[in-house]
Amino acid sequence: MSFHMKNAYARRGLQAAFVSLFALLASAAHADWGGLNMTEGVSILSKEIYALHMKIFYYCVAIGVVVFGVMIYSLIKFRKSQGAQADTTLVHSTKVEIIWTVIPILILVAMAIPTARSLIKIEDMGNVALNIKVTGYQWKWEYEYLNENVRFFSTLKRDSNHARQLGSGIDPATVPHYLLDVDNALVIPAGTKIRFLLTAQDVIHAWWVPAFGMKKDAIPGYVNEIWVQVDADKVGTYRGQCAELCGQDHGFMPIVVEVKSPADYDKWLRAKQEEQKVAGEVSPTAAVNTAVASAAPAAVQQ
Amino acid sequence: MAHEHTADAHDTHAAHDDHDDHDHGPAHGWRRWVYATNHKDIGTMYLIFACVMFFVGGFMAMIIRAELFQPGLQLVEPQFFNSMTTMHALVMIFGAVMPAWTGLANWMIPMQVGAPDMALPRLNNFSFWILPFAFTLLLSTLFVPGGSPAGGWTLYPPLSLQGGSGFPMAIFAIHLMGASSILGSINVVVTIMNMRAPGVGLLNMPLFCWSWLITAYLLIATMPVLAGAVTMLLTDHFFATSFFSASGGGDPVMFQHIFWFFGHPEVYILILPAFGIISEIVPTFSRKPLFGYDAMVYATAAIAFLSFIVWAHHMFTVGMPLAGQLFFTLSTMLISIPTGVKVFNWTATMWKGSLSFEPPMLFALAFLFLFTIGGFSGLMLAIVPADFQYHDTYFVVAHFHYVLVPGAVFAIMAGTYYWLPKWSGKMYDMKLATWHFWLSAIFVNVLFFPQHFLGLAGMPRRIPDYSVQFADWNMVSSIGAFGFGLSQLLFPWIIWKCVKSGSPATSHVWEGSHGLEWELSSPPPYHSWTEHPSREIIARGVQH
């Protein structure tokens, strides 16, 4: 066997190994990380926040490697059982105290600058194309498309609600999107900057869709605001939950958002407007009627 | 040893000190405990109380983790689940960790500063005996109409105002706990300020005393704030005020500001004494003095100061002005500087030491590693934009359990294993204690590490049921919880066995022990230092 042939084999073997390694890494990046790490999400802010999260995480990992490295080295190297003698003169050094104060300050500055930059972006509520008012109730959400004459309630879907009762005997795994499905999903257009105005009627709730990156409290007497712009190509369904303890059914008021293309969204909005107009013609107090119609029968507010 | 002769010396003071007939030894029977004025007896009662509450709170945690073992509701109704999370927190914070610190302070501070007892023995008795009543009241809310508080230990209105008969009972219980803490803290401050023996200066007393002195000031400063906040809740509920009701012109967010103005110093109340204990144990088992004593003292004071100006980082999602968010994110990040200084100094203490790994050291080392992990997640939580994702998820649950369980609780266990031979005069079963350590250290990570994943993947905290994508890690976490809970049964067993049938301990107990408490016999005399420690003892015993 010639040297060249051997080399070629080796090269091909190496190539195969690399390809499969990359495939493994790629699949790990797509599949396995999913359950372990924060989602990168589909909005401008969620990606910004994800990048910041990873940056701080890597800073922490780097600091951890150094600090834990020194600790582990000491644990191995300076064992009495290995005959280590204590150097009792080593009790103070102003120089090292200054070093390990100043270096962390520099790291913090490196963290603080991108933090401030992201925060300014998050707080920029200018140029919104659509305003949606979100009201939290025990235990459902109400969505109102401001100036569009559309409002409706959104509650946990019936099959999840049956399955989640104590001793229901229904296996949650058999329920599609267990606890994360609603009767009326919020619908928004992709590629559009949308402002959500958050408030509540009874106690404090928090509106959170992880894929959008933002979470904010819905507080009685307050109107909080966040903005979301989903990437134009990220049409789909995104799910979240109430994130502030709001009583016994806090775990059972999910959020479902269907992101449609602007054209599909317009179609949906017109259909919804028609539907609500019809409901409105039956009774002059349209808003109240809609609320009562779409709320579960038991949902009488105090 | 010297103190065997000191009983005579004490007689000269007895005339004006007190007129207690049981001056030189404990009373017999129940009177010893009910009328207790001795710092060791009261310390023991505090520690036993804390241990009982640790298991009560732990049992609640087992109920929580059992319900979360798999998706769907199998065991308890959601309202009861919320009661469990709320009561678990109140019992663990106010019933287990804080009384454990006060118990350790009672036992150790007089011995460490060369004093015969705490400065205010009857106040000491009162501050302890408030606690059983406070917790009887709090725990009895489980049996009243409407159940116990279920709005979270943070008691946020308007939700907390929806509580039943348990609501005013819990508030009165919190008032009692606060009063107990304030009285205990006054005692610590007065003891450290006035009872130090000549030669024990502020800057050479043990760091446990320093960290407790600072903790005591935090308690005195913040407990009245909590009392004020819960009193306003009470009047909102019963006397038609509207401090926190938007419909009456009040502000529900104001409660959160007031609560966390207490709440953030409170988390340092839970951890600063741990810093003190670790600063005692690491040098002992490194056979080397603490590195950077002065820096450690200043770092502790800096943390205490900063703890008052970071409160709103618990509430980034309530909607704050940009400037407010920036201020609280920067001030919070600053806390990592003095905390880092402490971790680096502990590490430097081990550097070029001569390390051995007895149970107290094992717990202290686990503290160093795992508390630092809790510090990292804390730093991540300080970053406001990222906090918009982390807030109120299991990531936060993982974070604060990392600093409180392998942080505060491990330090309490480290301290107990460190000083138990001194207290009892007997050695405990080191092998069994090492088992206790390894089981605790492994299971605590199985329990809490996966909660980081759950939080990042989007699982909110305080929910009794979850969607199936979170099933795997919840099951792992619950297995860790059951393992951790069962392992803790070893702890009282080891202590019981030690007290009943341990072999006699020497006065110094550990090869590298260093400090005034080790100059006393094991067990120490009933009135620790009845005369000032001699100049030689001081020279041997003080820090530097």
Side-chain angles (χ1 to χ4, degrees), chain B residues 100-377:
Chain B
W101 290 141
T102 316
L104 288 166
N106 258 294
W107 257 102
M108 299 319 301
I109 288 174
M111 299 207 295
Q112 288 187 326
V113 300
D117 204 311
M118 295 294 277
L120 308 161
R122 295 196 191 279
L123 193 76
N124 209 3
N125 175 296
F126 185 44
S127 75
F128 170 76
W129 278 109
I130 289 174
L131 283 180
F133 294 95
F135 280 87
T136 305
L137 192 60
L138 182 69
L139 292 171
S140 62
T141 60
L142 285 164
F143 308 101
V144 301
S148 69
W153 81 280
T154 50
L155 301 168
Y156 282 4
L159 182 62
S160 61
L161 298 174
Q162 294 180 345
S165 317
F167 168 77
M169 293 166 71
I171 284 182
F172 189 52
I174 289 171
H175 276 136
L176 289 174
M177 294 167 205
S180 163
S181 294
I182 292 170
L183 299 179
S185 302
I186 290 172
N187 214 345
V188 167
V189 171
V190 177
T191 305
I192 293 178
M193 288 307 195
N194 296 290
M195 306 278 284
R196 275 176 291 118
V200 183
L202 275 180
L203 274 177
N204 59 19
M205 67 182 182
L207 266 176
F208 180 66
C209 297
W210 255 115
S211 61
W212 236 113
L213 180 64
I214 292 168
T215 303
Y217 278 109
L218 290 183
L219 277 163
I220 293 167
T222 60
M223 280 298 162
V225 178
L226 174 67
V230 297
T231 305
M232 285 188 267
L233 282 182
L234 202 65
T235 62
D236 267 12
H237 193 281
F238 292 103
F239 305 114
T241 57
S242 45
F243 290 108
F244 308 127
S245 155
S247 55
D251 181 350
V253 175
M254 184 173 76
F255 176 86
Q256 300 186 22
H257 282 290
I258 300 171
F259 180 87
W260 286 113
F261 187 79
F262 144 80
H264 198 80
E266 169 69 22
V267 308
Y268 287 96
I269 288 163
L270 298 175
I271 202 67
L272 287 185
F275 290 170
I277 285 180
I278 302 304
S279 304
E280 306 277 307
I281 291 174
V282 171
T284 297
F285 297 95
S286 303
R287 291 164 182 78
K288 203 170 146 266
L290 183 71
F291 191 87
Y293 175 94
D294 292 0
M296 286 297 227
V297 172
Y298 298 140
T300 310
I303 292 171
F305 169 74
L306 288 173
S307 76
F308 282 105
I309 56 167
V310 297
W311 74 89
H313 70 214
H314 295 270
M315 36 191 290
F316 278 141
T317 61
V318 296
M320 256 180 277
L322 179 61
Q325 296 181 47
L326 279 175
F327 172 79
F328 285 108
T329 203
L330 293 176
S331 61
T332 304
M333 288 165 87
L334 271 185
I335 287 195
S336 64
I337 306 280
T339 313
V341 165
K342 298 197 81 86
V343 173
F344 300 144
N345 276 297
W346 288 320
T347 310
T349 304
M350 296 194 293
W351 186 261
K352 292 195 176 172
S354 172
L355 276 62
S356 59
F357 302 96
E358 289 85 346
M361 183 62 162
L362 289 174
F363 276 100
L365 288 171
F367 174 97
L368 283 191
F369 281 92
L370 302 178
F371 177 80
T372 305
I373 289 180
F376 287 144
S377 55

Side-chain angles (χ1 to χ4, degrees), chain A residues 157-228:
Chain A
K157 213 165 198 178
R158 211 165 264 256
D159 52 355
S160 283
N161 199 28
H162 284 310
R164 66 110 177 159
Q165 301 300 328
L166 184 61
S168 71
I170 303 170
D171 179 6
T174 63
V175 180
H177 303 294
Y178 177 62
L179 298 187
L180 292 182
D181 214 354
V182 295
D183 50 3
N184 300 306
L186 176 70
V187 178
I188 60 169
T192 312
K193 186 168 179 179
I194 301 162
R195 179 166 61 164
F196 290 95
L197 299 161
L198 309 171
T199 187
Q201 275 296 327
D202 35 43
V203 301
I204 302 173
H205 304 265
W207 198 81
W208 180 38
V209 177
F212 297 168
M214 288 302 300
K215 171 193 295 128
K216 208 152 241 189
D217 290 355
I219 306 171
Y222 273 73
V223 178
N224 273 328
E225 47 184 17
I226 59 174
W227 67 269
V228 171

Side-chain angles (χ1 to χ4, degrees), chain A residues 53 78 80 84 86-87 91 97 108 123 138 164 178 208 210 213 215 217 222 224 243-244 247-248 250, chain B residues 73 78-79 82 162 251 287 292 317-318 325 333 337 345 352 354-355 388-392 462 465 467 511:
Chain A
H53 155 75
F78 307 120
K80 187 178 179 245
D87 177 1
V91 290
E97 298 285 355
L108 289 189
E123 291 295 322
Q138 286 174 314
R164 66 110 177 159
Y178 177 62
W208 180 38
K215 171 193 295 128
D217 290 355
Y222 273 73
N224 273 328
E244 176 67 48
Q248 62 171 6
H250 162 57
Chain B
L73 288 174
Q79 183 71 13
N82 291 345
Q162 294 180 345
D251 181 350
R287 291 164 182 78
T317 61
V318 296
Q325 296 181 47
M333 288 165 87
I337 306 280
N345 276 297
K352 292 195 176 172
S354 172
L355 276 62
F388 288 144
Q389 285 279 31
Y390 308 140
H391 185 89
D392 264 328
R462 293 167 165 170
D465 192 8
S467 67
E511 191 186 31

Side-chain angles (χ1 to χ4, degrees), chain B residues 15-78:
Chain B
H16 59 265
D17 268 352
D18 53 45
H19 303 280
D20 194 335
D21 291 332
H22 306 292
D23 212 37
H24 304 297
H28 295 290
W30 59 272
R31 284 182 181 81
R32 172 173 180 181
W33 306 105
V34 175
Y35 300 158
T37 49
N38 180 278
H39 73 103
K40 299 190 192 73
D41 288 348
I42 293 172
T44 303
M45 289 195 291
Y46 263 112
L47 290 172
I48 291 172
F49 180 83
C51 192
V52 170
M53 285 298 137
F54 180 62
F55 283 98
V56 171
F59 184 70
M60 292 170 177
M62 294 301 115
I63 294 174
I64 294 168
R65 283 317 320 173
E67 180 52 66
L68 293 173
F69 186 73
Q70 60 188 57
L73 288 174
Q74 291 84 26
L75 301 173
V76 296
E77 291 288 355

